[in-house]
Amino acid sequence: MKKLSLLLLSAMFASGAFAQDGKYVPSEENLKARSEFQDRKFGVFLHWGLYSMMGTTEWILNAPDMHHSEYKNLAGAFYPGNFDADKWVKTISEAGAKYITITTRHHDGFSLFDTKYSDYDVMDASPFKRDIIKELAAACEKYGVKLHLYYSHLDWGRNDYPLGRTGKGTGRPTDQQNWKSYYQFMNNQITELLTNYGSIGAIWFDGWWDHDEDKTPFNWELPQQYKMIHDLQPGCLIGNNHHQTPNEGEDIQIFERDLPGENTAGLSGQSIGKLPLESCQTINDHWGYSMRDHNYKSNEELIQMLVRAAGKNANLLLNVGPQPDGNLPERAVERLQAMGKWLEKNGETIYGTRGGIVGPHDWGVSTQKGNKLYIHVLNHHDKGLFLPTGETKFKKAYEFATGKEIKYTKSKEGITLLFDKVPEGVDYIVTLEKK
């Protein structure tokens, strides 16, 4: 009996399981993947699909005058002739991003991969007839970039998807909803994604919020789905962009359009938990490609966003909406290149770090790794900077860029850095070495 119990316990930890009290027990492989995810710090989000052809928004099918059967005709013209997975991943890798999250299937239901469970996919419904996800997976393997897969929990085009609060004007019949059928369809596709495309870093769910106003709480049957994922690939992390505190079985906590602890967009009011954190942000104002959106964030803003995310112990997942022809927008590439150049010089203070002992302030943040504490001064207008480090002892302080020593005074509450002049630049980094 004792031997059998040990075997069962070993099997449970091999893939992760739910204990009798309903608590999720992540496997050792999963815990290792979580730590590696936190080390990567920077990823690029890619929202791409039929909606990109419209050049407006990835939510175009949600418009009141958009019929799902007419929308599906876009698939017949989907031919992104300039798509080059190798070029995409090389560009993203040179930007310093360590992982990619791509929309395998967004709310419109069109799949960018070869699936045998639907004809509404890139191989069957479009003249392109190339498995985009397979090509990206191969390129990611080549460049050492981890592949994460976005998957929508909702579908504005399938008749069996239970109608939620969005996509009500698409002309779908209201008497053909069948959760059992739709749930099986999703699980079949997710199984394909975790079987046919190599090692996947994470499944990134979206759409739970479509039923957040139901009079009777909607049962998405997440525990069963999460267990299936962890059984297929124990090291595959699960994130769900539901804007709530994490559910059992999830491995990442996601914050949309805000850094953890902020809620300027009204989508990230949840408390910060103990899971690895990720903040997804847009490089301009839209997720999908928009011809009219020229409001790109500046190089400085994006670099400081990445630094502030790291200081809050979070990854930054920066979104780019590829063009319908398969190219990445030129202005997005220019900004990615600027981030890459900055990370070439300063990546040591970001990759593999955790949020530092000095909490986030208006002037900046801190990150730490080993015996080094990195002070990122982003917005400070004085030659002195007090750091509440308590009784932590340091043996020296110096500019990260030059190694030039920086003087400081000590007190019971911390130390005060004494600069020769007011800090300048996108990020003035000071290294403090602990004793």
Side-chain angles (χ1 to χ4, degrees):
M1 178 63 74
K2 182 178 180 181
K3 183 177 181 180
L4 179 61
S5 297
L6 289 173
L7 287 173
L8 289 173
L9 187 63
S10 176
M12 181 180 75
F13 275 95
S15 61
F18 286 86
Q20 289 183 348
D21 60 0
K23 297 293 184 181
Y24 167 55
V25 182
S27 66
E28 290 184 10
E29 186 175 347
N30 186 277
L31 293 174
K32 180 174 180 289
R34 292 184 187 188
S35 180
E36 292 172 346
F37 169 78
Q38 289 181 293
D39 288 344
R40 294 187 180 104
K41 281 295 178 286
F42 180 31
V44 168
F45 211 169
L46 297 169
H47 272 71
W48 199 41
L50 299 186
Y51 45 83
S52 305
M53 300 168 67
M54 305 292 283
T56 54
T57 169
E58 73 285 348
W59 273 52
I60 185 64
L61 184 53
N62 188 55
D65 57 349
M66 186 67 68
H67 198 283
H68 74 99
S69 62
E70 293 294 334
Y71 178 87
K72 288 180 178 179
N73 290 331
L74 289 173
F78 184 69
Y79 195 91
N82 291 328
F83 170 67
D84 184 338
D86 192 276
K87 184 178 180 181
W88 275 21
V89 179
K90 184 174 185 291
T91 298
I92 290 169
S93 176
E94 290 176 348
K98 301 299 184 183
Y99 64 99
I100 290 172
T101 303
I102 184 166
T103 51
T104 64
R105 173 179 167 275
H106 205 261
H107 308 328
D108 62 355
F110 182 73
S111 298
L112 291 182
F113 62 99
D114 187 13
T115 175
K116 66 181 181 180
Y117 297 102
S118 172
D119 293 331
Y120 191 43
D121 68 322
V122 68
M123 299 296 287
D124 298 304
S126 84
F128 194 54
K129 300 195 181 305
R130 285 165 53 186
D131 189 329
I132 289 165
I133 304 304
K134 179 160 285 188
E135 293 184 25
L136 273 175
C140 284
E141 180 70 21
K142 175 181 176 180
Y143 289 100
V145 174
K146 202 66 179 177
L147 181 62
H148 295 194
L149 303 178
Y150 170 111
Y151 191 87
S152 175
H153 263 139
L154 67 87
D155 192 308
W156 291 327
R158 284 184 64 95
N159 293 340
D160 56 356
Y161 171 69
L163 295 173
R165 65 173 168 86
T166 65
K168 291 183 176 179
T170 66
R172 287 174 296 161
T174 59
D175 60 349
Q176 296 183 26
Q177 302 170 53
N178 186 328
W179 169 248
K180 183 177 180 180
S181 166
Y182 181 71
Y183 184 67
Q184 186 61 55
F185 161 74
M186 286 197 299
N187 287 342
N188 287 339
Q189 282 206 319
I190 293 167
T191 298
E192 288 180 317
L193 291 170
L194 292 174
T195 304
N196 301 332
Y197 299 92
S199 175
I200 302 302
I203 295 293
W204 206 99
F205 285 119
D206 195 15
W208 176 96
W209 34 260
D210 195 41
H211 282 279
D212 60 6
E213 296 179 357
D214 290 14
K215 293 182 179 179
T216 301
F218 188 81
N219 183 11
W220 289 97
E221 298 186 62
L222 296 179
Q224 299 92 321
Q225 191 171 67
Y226 290 174
K227 183 180 184 304
M228 177 194 75
I229 292 169
H230 288 135
D231 284 346
L232 287 168
Q233 289 199 27
C236 179
L237 306 178
I238 295 174
N240 196 324
N241 188 38
H242 44 47
H243 311 144
Q244 308 288 319
T245 54
N247 296 307
E248 290 293 331
E250 294 169 8
D251 307 299
I252 302 169
Q253 184 173 7
I254 299 168
F255 296 83
E256 182 176 349
R257 289 190 182 270
D258 273 301
L259 296 176
E262 302 174 6
N263 192 26
T264 61
L267 299 171
S268 298
Q270 70 269 36
S271 60
I272 301 172
K274 296 182 180 179
L275 295 178
L277 310 176
E278 181 183 70
S279 171
C280 58
Q281 304 266 3
T282 54
I283 202 166
N284 49 12
D285 289 335
H286 288 74
W287 298 102
Y289 173 69
S290 173
M291 290 187 291
R292 295 182 176 180
D293 187 355
H294 310 297
N295 191 30
Y296 281 80
K297 296 174 178 66
S298 68
N299 296 340
E300 178 180 284
E301 187 176 0
L302 292 170
I303 291 169
Q304 291 194 349
M305 184 184 293
L306 172 62
V307 172
R308 288 191 182 277
K312 291 197 169 194
N313 208 33
N315 288 16
L316 174 65
L317 181 61
L318 182 63
N319 182 79
V320 174
Q323 297 171 180
D325 64 356
N327 284 318
L328 299 177
E330 184 177 346
R331 276 173 289 186
V333 171
E334 289 172 353
R335 283 153 177 78
L336 289 175
Q337 289 173 339
M339 296 181 77
K341 289 179 180 178
W342 185 87
L343 281 164
E344 279 183 10
K345 297 178 181 179
N346 304 289
E348 178 186 327
T349 71
I350 301 296
Y351 301 126
T353 65
R354 298 295 183 266
I357 60 172
V358 178
H361 289 74
D362 289 341
W363 55 258
V365 297
S366 71
T367 57
Q368 61 188 29
K369 180 168 51 180
N371 73 326
K372 293 181 179 179
L373 177 67
Y374 301 106
I375 305 300
H376 298 266
V377 184
L378 306 175
N379 179 33
H380 190 58
H381 307 288
D382 198 288
K383 292 198 293 183
L385 178 61
F386 172 71
L387 303 174
T389 55
E391 297 181 358
T392 304
K393 295 181 179 180
F394 301 97
K395 58 183 179 181
K396 59 179 176 178
Y398 53 91
E399 288 183 345
F400 174 77
T402 66
K404 178 183 176 182
E405 185 177 350
I406 295 176
K407 296 179 181 179
Y408 63 92
T409 60
K410 305 175 186 177
S411 69
K412 187 176 181 180
E413 291 75 23
I415 67 172
T416 299
L417 299 175
L418 304 173
F419 306 120
D420 292 337
K421 60 179 182 178
V422 175
E424 299 176 340
V426 175
D427 181 11
Y428 180 78
I429 306 172
V430 177
T431 303
L432 293 173
E433 288 193 14
K434 300 178 185 177
K435 286 185 177 180

